[in-house]
Amino acid sequence: MDRPAALEKLRTNCNQIAALITQMHPAVPALSDVGAQGEILKALFEFTKQVEVVKKHLLRLEKGDGSSLV
């Protein structure tokens, strides 16, 4: 697999993960356990943040920015 194909595959997978996380949110209130709901929502938020970090790295790689990644 070459670099452009790898970047595209990773971007597609990130978008799929983000969509799945978004689909999970509406189900959380049905758990009827405030403690569990809070922890699950925090975890989903953390997942979302990490997916965005990966997407940011991919964007910089696509632009050819060799600087330090944030």
Side-chain angles (χ1 to χ4, degrees):
M1 176 180 304
D2 63 0
R3 183 177 172 141
L7 289 167
E8 181 60 32
K9 180 165 182 58
L10 289 166
R11 179 174 306 288
T12 298
N13 289 339
C14 282
N15 289 337
Q16 290 173 343
I17 292 168
L20 288 171
I21 291 170
T22 300
Q23 291 172 19
M24 292 171 74
H25 281 267
V28 175
L31 298 174
S32 301
D33 182 314
V34 175
Q37 289 169 303
E39 291 302 314
I40 290 168
L41 289 173
K42 281 189 229 177
L44 292 175
F45 178 69
E46 290 301 320
F47 279 138
T48 301
K49 284 188 345 186
Q50 295 306 315
V51 169
E52 291 303 316
V53 168
V54 172
K55 288 168 64 175
K56 182 187 284 187
H57 286 276
L58 295 174
L59 183 61
R60 289 213 173 127
L61 287 170
E62 286 175 338
K63 290 182 176 183
D65 183 358
S67 67
S68 174
L69 298 175
V70 177

